[in-house]
Amino acid sequence: MNADSPLRRLLPLALAAGLLYVASLAVTRLPCWALFALLVPVAWLLWAYWAGNALFARRLWLTGVTRPPSALRRWLVRGWLLQALATVPALVFAAVLLALAAPLGPEHWFLLALDALLLSLAVGPVQRWLGREVQADKVGTVARRWPLLLLNLALLGVTLLVLDFAVLGGPDTRGQAWHFVAEAAFRNASAAACPVAGWGLGALAAVDALAWHASLLVIPSLPEPVLRLTAWGLILLQAGVFAWLFTSLLLGALALVEQRRAATAGAVPGVNATVSTAFIYTILVLALPYL
């Protein structure tokens, strides 16, 4: 099978989406000490994408402003500190992603599976289009950094909003007080083995319930179309955050596949390795309190 075929690209995307699905099922069942281990593989995919982008920008800057024999270039080109620092936000946003994914229903997961399929089909055309303008060894990184991210972010964010508000909808809460809506949503979603996870799930459920409540009471009464559009944009924010994190997860899986291929071909280690030692060492340091 061709290494660049859509089916070969779909496999890592399906594995990434499957990992998120399994982790979202387990997030309410595991104690606090086990949640850290649950976050690591999800954070690894986010880290692979974000650290790869940051290191790509770092190397472009170094190449543009330093001389080839420069000691500064040799010291900074691997970006060990940059990769280590990217581990912490990857863990934080992995927790946010799991909290957002935990309450998703079958319709949402079908949409996410379809999104992974469409993304696998879009990679080839986007890379071929960029290949006419971008150096061959940088096409994959540039495609993931801008066009694929923006295309998938727009598609997934809008479809999630349509699914949540136009297809699935929610209960009619127009006769209820705002605080009652938030408290009921928090109470129904906060059952988890780990109190911290329960609080996070409950808080996100309360925000979602209040957004739905606002769409029933506030937005229809706004006098100007611009104000209504702005209000819907704010409501889209949660769906946009999830779409950004899920897209980063998928693109991280693609980045790992490309990095493994580059490492096999003899590329410079660092973020080009399938598992970076910077990520592993940082995870071990962060995991010391749990050992």
Side-chain angles (χ1 to χ4, degrees):
M1 185 184 299
N2 187 352
D4 293 324
S5 67
L7 186 59
R8 290 291 295 269
R9 295 192 184 100
L10 178 60
L11 180 59
L13 300 184
L15 291 175
L19 170 65
L20 180 63
Y21 176 71
V22 173
S24 68
L25 293 178
V27 70
T28 59
R29 298 172 171 84
L30 294 179
C32 292
W33 63 267
L35 287 179
F36 186 85
L38 180 68
L39 291 177
V40 170
V42 178
W44 179 39
L45 296 180
L46 297 177
W47 172 89
Y49 180 59
W50 295 340
N53 286 344
L55 193 55
F56 175 73
R58 162 79 68 85
R59 288 174 175 173
L60 286 181
W61 181 85
L62 288 173
T63 303
V65 302
T66 61
R67 300 177 183 274
S70 169
L72 183 65
R73 181 186 296 192
R74 293 196 304 272
W75 292 338
L76 298 180
V77 70
R78 291 179 179 267
W80 295 110
L81 180 60
L82 183 71
Q83 296 177 65
L85 293 177
T87 306
V88 176
L91 284 169
V92 173
F93 281 106
V96 174
L97 179 57
L98 288 184
L100 292 171
L104 297 183
E107 300 87 355
H108 295 93
W109 288 109
F110 174 79
L111 179 63
L112 296 179
L114 181 61
D115 177 73
L117 174 61
L118 293 176
L119 182 60
S120 69
L121 296 175
V123 172
V126 169
Q127 288 188 350
R128 286 193 293 272
W129 170 66
L130 285 174
R132 298 194 294 266
E133 308 290 340
V134 178
Q135 298 175 20
D137 61 329
K138 298 179 177 62
V139 166
T141 303
V142 174
R144 291 189 303 271
R145 186 179 174 89
W146 290 298
L148 291 175
L149 174 67
L150 296 178
L151 286 173
N152 203 66
L153 185 60
L155 174 65
L156 188 55
V158 171
T159 52
L160 283 173
L161 182 68
V162 171
L163 178 64
D164 286 335
F165 287 88
V167 179
L168 298 179
D172 188 354
T173 60
R174 284 174 291 185
Q176 301 175 12
W178 289 81
H179 69 87
F180 179 81
V181 172
E183 291 171 359
F186 183 90
R187 184 172 56 254
N188 294 333
S190 59
C194 176
V196 177
W199 187 91
L201 292 172
L204 288 174
V207 171
D208 188 58
L210 289 176
W212 172 253
H213 194 58
S215 71
L216 296 176
L217 293 180
V218 178
I219 296 179
S221 63
L222 292 175
E224 297 293 334
V226 175
L227 292 178
R228 290 196 293 270
L229 183 62
T230 302
W232 278 112
L234 293 175
I235 291 177
L236 180 62
L237 182 61
Q238 183 172 337
V241 169
F242 178 80
W244 170 59
L245 292 175
F246 184 73
T247 302
S248 298
L249 186 85
L250 297 183
L251 295 178
L254 289 178
L256 287 174
V257 171
E258 182 175 303
Q259 290 157 16
R260 180 179 178 83
R261 192 181 306 167
T264 303
V268 177
V271 80
N272 291 328
T274 304
V275 181
S276 170
T277 53
F279 179 81
I280 294 296
Y281 290 156
T282 308
I283 288 295
L284 292 176
V285 170
L286 295 174
L288 286 177
Y290 299 93
L291 298 179

